[in-house]
Amino acid sequence: MRLIRILSLLFLACATLVATPAFAEPVKLKVMIFNIWRSGVQLSLQQVVTAIKAADPDVVALQEPEGNSRKIADMLGWAYVDERVHLISRFPLYMGTQDDVHFSYVEIQRGKMVAISNLHLPSDAYGPELVRDGKPVEEVIQGELDNRMYMLEPYAAALPKVAATGIPVILGGDFNSPSHLDWTEAMMKARPAVKFPVEWPESKLMADNGFVDSYRSVHADPVAKPGLTWTPGYPHPFVRPTETHDRIDYIYSIGAQAVASEVIGEV
């Protein structure tokens, strides 16, 4: 599914976070997540690079780079790449692993580290489309449990252990699932696609394990700021009559406070 994840440069989500626990003084770090849609060559790598330059992040977590992470970093003039988790960075990266979950230590200042990981959860079956098609909430939730939770659970368990050492932790990615913070009774009146409240298990798992959703921590009202990251249509701006829209791309953190978080290219 979702072979049309194009954002006419794809949606980019950026968060500026302040890491404090292990540091004497707060340190800012700007993190971007960017699904470049099946290697980025569906548009062009130069367009991908142009979009990153416009957003001006310090670290980018790429989804669907398909072997092009280092090439994109080279085009940016960035020296640091962790191809295990598709991270590219202005700052030095050091590989880390906790309970078989990979992440990178990002040295944002000499001796000052932030741990960042990145994931891309499976897209089928896509919950909002099940809701659109009239499936009951029980079937919608079961689809999430069957298709995505098995991949997310190791991250939710392992990364808080890294945070417990005093190192701020950031997890970004394309979750292919909405948030329980968005599918509320208030949103039923604002968005016809939200037919009933849903406690989406992926976002709930993250919250239960101490992760803070950067976008919702800055923009608490989903009615005022839905922050939709899927989809602007294909080819842009054409949107199929049955298309679903939702916020499915996230930057989560433990031990770092978001001071800004935006969807770049939002429509």
Side-chain angles (χ1 to χ4, degrees):
M1 187 186 126
R2 309 253 225 160
L3 299 183
I4 58 171
R5 175 177 283 285
I6 186 169
L7 297 175
S8 107
L9 261 251
L10 310 169
F11 276 116
L12 331 168
C14 267
T16 301
L17 302 105
V18 175
T20 57
F23 306 157
E25 298 292 335
V27 179
K28 285 188 178 181
L29 181 69
K30 190 173 184 180
V31 178
M32 168 190 279
I33 57 170
F34 192 175
N35 187 318
I36 66 172
W37 190 49
R38 300 177 66 193
S39 82
V41 299
Q42 308 299 320
L43 294 167
S44 77
L45 289 184
Q46 186 56 58
Q47 286 179 287
V48 170
V49 169
T50 298
I52 293 172
K53 286 181 177 179
D56 194 31
D58 300 309
V59 180
V60 182
L62 297 167
Q63 288 85 48
E64 302 184 27
E66 298 184 12
N68 281 333
S69 297
R70 187 167 297 278
K71 185 178 291 186
I72 293 167
D74 288 345
M75 292 172 71
L76 287 164
W78 292 5
Y80 306 106
V81 181
D82 185 345
E83 294 182 278
R84 303 170 311 155
V85 289
H86 311 307
L87 286 182
I88 61 176
S89 173
R90 300 178 188 271
F91 299 122
L93 300 177
Y94 303 92
M95 294 181 181
T97 303
Q98 174 71 49
D99 299 340
D100 297 323
V101 169
H102 297 314
F103 60 90
S104 270
Y105 291 106
V106 183
E107 189 176 33
I108 57 179
Q109 290 184 6
R110 185 173 180 84
K112 296 180 178 180
M113 303 288 188
V114 172
I116 302 183
S117 195
N118 178 33
L119 55 72
H120 187 178
L121 298 183
S123 59
D124 286 333
Y126 184 47
E129 290 185 352
L130 296 180
V131 175
R132 177 200 66 192
D133 296 342
K135 303 300 183 183
V137 66
E138 295 80 11
E139 184 172 338
V140 173
I141 294 295
Q142 192 60 51
E144 304 300 309
L145 299 176
D146 291 343
N147 296 299
R148 279 174 281 281
M149 289 293 283
Y150 75 93
M151 186 179 289
L152 179 60
E153 285 168 346
Y155 288 82
L159 293 178
K161 296 179 183 179
V162 179
T165 69
I167 295 175
V169 168
I170 296 168
L171 174 62
D174 180 350
F175 281 52
N176 275 307
S177 175
S179 172
H180 69 290
L181 300 176
D182 297 350
W183 279 58
T184 62
E185 289 190 10
M187 283 296 282
M188 291 173 61
K189 300 175 182 178
R191 292 188 57 221
V194 180
K195 296 182 179 180
F196 40 74
V198 180
E199 193 169 86
W200 297 97
E202 294 88 348
S203 61
K204 187 63 165 54
L205 176 69
M206 299 300 288
D208 289 347
N209 282 275
F211 289 88
V212 176
D213 177 338
S214 69
Y215 191 80
R216 277 290 158 253
S217 71
V218 174
H219 308 289
D221 183 356
V223 174
K225 291 284 287 187
L228 305 179
T229 62
W230 167 258
T231 171
Y234 177 77
H236 180 74
F238 172 74
V239 177
R240 296 177 299 171
T242 58
E243 188 59 84
T244 58
H245 300 269
D246 228 297
R247 187 172 72 98
I248 61 173
D249 304 274
Y250 306 94
I251 299 173
Y252 284 102
S253 66
I254 302 177
Q257 179 183 353
V259 295
S261 188
E262 301 297 336
V263 178
I264 301 170
E266 185 173 5
V267 294

